[in-house]
Amino acid sequence: MIEGFDYQVFAQNLTQQALQLVPPDFDENQRNYVANTLLNFSTIAGEALYNDTESNFNLDQAVMITQIIAEWSFHKSVDLIRSELPQQFWDPIMQKIAFTIFEVAKQAFKQNIPQDQVLQLIEHHVKKTYFESVQELKDKNLIDDALMEKASNQSNIDAMMQQQAYEEPAEQIQDNSENTAPQNIQQQNMQQQSVQQQSVQPESPKVLKLATLAMLFKQMKQEKVQSILDKFDTEDAHSIIKFMGLDDLGKKIDSGTALKCLQEIKTKIPRANQSDVSPSVLIAKVKKAVGDKDRKKLEQSLQLERQKVKRFVFNAIEGEFYEIAPRVANIIAAHIAG
């Protein structure tokens, strides 16, 4: 038990505060769905943390994890309503998202990862889980391409960030630190975005390349962008996403510099070799990368990865191939070897 952590009251307070942020065009049923979703998942998470006798989370950590789940429950439930996906799909998608946040947050706090990195990591996994859930509906022929694209492009948190960026000066955002839970974390993301804006400087080649990629990705379909971002380091993927949210990004980078960066990126992209992506070759690569590594240490190194990644690795160790994109498999093998 965590002394002083009244998760039920906390969840109810978060819900009441979040109700003030529900889009005004939502009807009563839609408002209730947002509120009930936030209340349910934050209560479940709070109770699980309160009864967790192994992780030894303190009050601040329990509050933060519950608050993060509340924020994303709010934003993604709004996205699902705006997506026009049939309501029968909303709860299963929200369950996947809440579970992902809970597990990633727990492991991140256990490893004492800095809070800003925790937020970045969770945002990456939330967007990835949401997109994969929508893609799964399309793969099962439960929705068409148009609905998949509409649903995939919903991002209430980005919309609110942009709106507040125009409506509130930065000083006011910092002064309002006692606002609602969804706004608190949102403001941190906005402050991180501000740092990113100031970082697009010629003396930082890596930042320039990430910003240039962001300019390119803004012209592409969301599902294609997400599939590419999944192959990036989490921190780099997060930086690209932040750059993509800047309306005036093109004005911050010289066109000649951008073209030079794109050419350099292009020359470093390895050419595909079909002989390198066969199941047998991929299995061999993973086995070689794993080598004599202890299974527990391997599990620990993969604990923040998606279930599909873990399944691919451990199936490969047993000589079996779990279907996964070849390029992703190569990245996984390289990650393990490193």
Side-chain angles (χ1 to χ4, degrees), residues 248-300:
D248 59 347
L249 179 60
K251 297 178 181 179
K252 294 180 176 293
I253 306 177
D254 176 71
S255 58
T257 303
L259 288 173
K260 183 178 179 181
C261 285
L262 285 174
Q263 185 61 36
E264 184 176 346
I265 292 168
K266 181 179 178 181
T267 60
K268 293 186 177 181
I269 297 177
R271 296 183 179 275
N273 185 333
Q274 293 300 319
S275 63
D276 288 339
V277 296
S278 66
S280 59
V281 170
L282 292 172
I283 290 173
K285 283 187 175 183
V286 172
K287 283 187 173 182
K288 182 179 179 181
V290 171
D292 297 327
K293 284 189 178 181
D294 180 75
R295 187 181 179 92
K296 287 186 177 180
K297 290 184 178 179
L298 182 59
E299 290 176 347
Q300 185 176 8

Side-chain angles (χ1 to χ4, degrees), residues 222-237:
Q222 176 67 29
E223 59 265 27
K224 180 64 176 177
V225 172
Q226 187 62 55
S227 66
I228 296 173
L229 287 176
D230 287 345
K231 301 175 178 64
F232 278 76
D233 171 87
T234 300
E235 185 175 346
D236 289 345

